[in-house]
């Protein structure tokens, strides 16, 4: 083996050379941003809604999950399942610490229910639709929200928009069609 | 047989009463699995659009601001991994040189990337040359214990320490030194307690406990541990380890798994 003898120990010849690491780091940043933007909303939602972590503490919890993931990435086989498992563990630990400080706002039962609601398939479907909604465009998003979440009828939406119910139906069909196309493309990519 | 277009099926899914060909569509769906499947897809997406959870997750992405320090950390980890790989490669080819180089005392190697690379080397060597694996794991422990909070977030340092102790335990159990392996697992578990957001480490530690119990013919306790690990691995999507744990369970002479 070709080794040097600097400072009294065996050294590989490459030690001390400045290899170009900037490409590796730049690629890591791009990859990290992709992983973060695709999954951070889901993790925030799990922490906030399923485990009722106070809003001011959610971001720190989510960041801890991502730093640990970035340090462990080569060992992770299924990214989303790993991240969901990680935020659940971190959230449970958060409440255990609060419990130790004699503040128990969330019961064990609630935590178990949260776990049950977080099966991988259900989570994947929710995130698929959430990503779709983010890409469907503002006009469609508002219209779909009025119809599906606020429960407004097409006639009521038409009144608000100063148009006809038929027109609203047509717009809803277009938005649903766009949503399906996005879902298909996301499924093909995954 | 005329297939219906997606627009026709979508209109039927939205409001069956308003679909001009409702009767024909319903007759056709009974005989055409393709159209039935397309209608199922349309209805699944529609149901998803009505899921408040999906809307809330979208809302989380709208008011989020990503933390740039997080991405810089990812870059730092990647850079360290690349540098450690480059520095360690020639040493790992020559175990004698590795021992002589005393890397745990060298500042160049005092990085999270070096600990990870040494842990990986220990994992790679454990089944072929467990004694070498033990040497690498011990070097990983020495470097990880030398890392100071401030250089890295505390939970990252504890994760590295836990992983290195776990690797030492794995090498020791392959050398048949089960008591020492259990001691190392105790150290790993204590370190992982500080890293609640890393679900893999504690589970792999538990898995090693199961194997040691199995090797010592304590089948009931081994099965209990193996089942707990198997469930967690399955939830984390780690199919390979899940199947390994399941097979460990099935080797138990009294297993009903």
């Amino acid at each position: 083996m070709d080794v040097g003898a600097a400072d009294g120990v065996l050294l590989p010849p490459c030690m001390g050379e400045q290899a170009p690491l900037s490409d590796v780091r730049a690629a890591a940043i791009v990859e990290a941003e992709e992983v973060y933007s695709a999954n951070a909303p889901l993790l925030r939602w799990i922490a906030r809604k399923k485990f009722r972590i106070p809003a001011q503490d959610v971001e720190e919890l989510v960041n801890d999950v991502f730093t640990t993931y970035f340090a462990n990435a080569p060992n992770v086989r299924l990214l989303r399942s790993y991240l969901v498992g990680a935020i659940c563990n971190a959230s449970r630990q958060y409440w255990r610490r609060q419990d130790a400080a004699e503040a128990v706002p969330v019961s064990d039962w609630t935590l178990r229910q949260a776990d049950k609601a977080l099966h991988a398939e259900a989570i994947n479907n929710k995130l698929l639709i959430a990503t779709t909604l983010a890409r469907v465009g503002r006009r469609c998003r508002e219209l779909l929200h009025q119809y599906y979440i606020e429960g407004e009828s097409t006639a009521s939406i038409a009144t608000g928009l100063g148009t006809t119910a038929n027109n609203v139906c047509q717009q809803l069909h277009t938005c649903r069609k766009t949503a399906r196309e996005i879902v298909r493309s996301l499924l093909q990519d995954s | 047989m005329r297939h219906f277009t997606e627009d026709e099926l979508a209109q039927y899914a939205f409001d069956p009463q308003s679909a001009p060909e409702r009767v024909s569509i319903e007759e056709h769906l009974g005989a055409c699995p393709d159209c039935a499947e397309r209608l199922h897809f349309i209805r699944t997406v529609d149901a998803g659009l009505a899921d408040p959870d999906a809307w809330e997750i979208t809302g989380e992405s709208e008011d989020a601001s990503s933390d740039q320090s997080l991405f810089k950390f990812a870059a730092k980890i990647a850079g360290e991994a690349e540098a450690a790989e480059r520095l360690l490669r020639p040493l790992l080819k020559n175990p004698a040189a590795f021992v002589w180089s005393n890397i745990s005392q060298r500042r160049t190697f005092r990085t999270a990337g070096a600990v990870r690379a040494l842990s990986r080397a220990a994992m790679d060597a454990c089944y072929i040359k467990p004694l070498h694996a033990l040497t690498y794991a011990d070097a990983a422990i020495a470097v990880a214990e030398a890392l100071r909070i401030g250089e890295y977030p505390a939970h990252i340092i504890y994760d590295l320490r836990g992983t290195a102790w776990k690797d030492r335990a794995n090498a020791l159990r392959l050398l048949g030194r089960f008591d020492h392996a259990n001691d190392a697992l105790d150290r790993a578990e204590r370190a992982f307690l500080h890293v609640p957001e890393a679900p893999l480490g504690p589970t792999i530690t538990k898995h090693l406990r199961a194997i040691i119990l199995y090797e010592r013919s304590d089948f009931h306790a081994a099965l209990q541990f193996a089942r707990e690990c198997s469930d967690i691995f399955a939830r984390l999507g780690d199919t390979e380890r899940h199947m390994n744990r399941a097979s460990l369970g099935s080797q138990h002479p009294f297993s009903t798994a």
Side-chain angles (χ1 to χ4, degrees), chain A residues 15-183:
Chain A
M15 188 177 278
E17 292 170 11
Q18 286 300 314
L21 297 180
S22 57
D23 287 352
V24 174
R25 292 197 174 108
I29 287 178
V30 171
E31 196 178 327
E33 283 176 341
E34 278 175 16
V35 169
Y36 183 88
S37 62
N39 294 283
L42 174 67
L43 302 196
R44 278 190 210 102
W45 175 77
I46 290 171
R48 204 192 308 263
K49 296 291 177 181
K50 295 297 172 188
F51 287 93
R52 299 189 206 168
I53 304 292
Q56 70 271 16
D57 295 331
V58 166
E59 210 56 41
E60 188 182 340
L61 226 51
V62 169
N63 281 359
D64 281 354
V65 167
F66 277 106
T67 49
T68 310
Y69 164 71
F70 293 142
N72 277 301
N75 299 325
V76 174
R77 313 276 164 95
L78 207 60
L79 173 64
R80 186 151 307 140
S81 298
Y82 171 89
L83 291 174
V84 170
I87 194 69
C88 290
N89 277 10
S91 299
R92 274 191 292 269
Q93 180 65 17
Y94 175 92
W95 285 121
R96 278 190 210 111
R97 281 198 303 263
Q98 301 298 313
D99 190 18
E102 295 183 5
V104 197
V106 175
S107 69
D108 282 351
W109 183 86
T110 307
L111 295 182
R112 281 198 298 276
Q113 294 307 305
D115 277 358
K116 283 180 188 172
L118 295 173
H119 286 305
E121 193 181 344
I123 281 294
N124 283 339
N125 287 342
K126 288 178 197 303
L127 191 58
L128 184 69
I129 295 296
T131 309
T132 301
L133 290 169
R135 295 184 187 181
V136 81
R138 190 181 54 83
R139 256 189 64 232
C140 273
R141 199 160 49 243
E142 285 173 1
L143 186 62
L144 291 168
H145 192 270
Q146 277 182 287
Y147 184 78
Y148 283 107
I149 299 300
E150 293 168 35
E152 283 193 56
S153 67
T154 51
S156 161
I157 297 170
T159 307
L161 294 175
T163 183
T164 64
N166 269 348
N167 193 327
V168 170
C169 273
Q170 191 52 49
Q171 287 181 44
L172 274 170
H173 283 305
T174 306
C175 292
R176 288 165 64 227
K177 189 174 184 175
T178 307
R180 287 196 299 275
E181 283 164 5
I182 295 169
V183 168

Side-chain angles (χ1 to χ4, degrees), chain B residues 93-105:
Chain B
K93 282 181 187 166
N94 184 342
F98 180 84
V99 173
W100 272 101
S101 63
N102 195 15
I103 65 164
S104 62
Q105 297 301 312

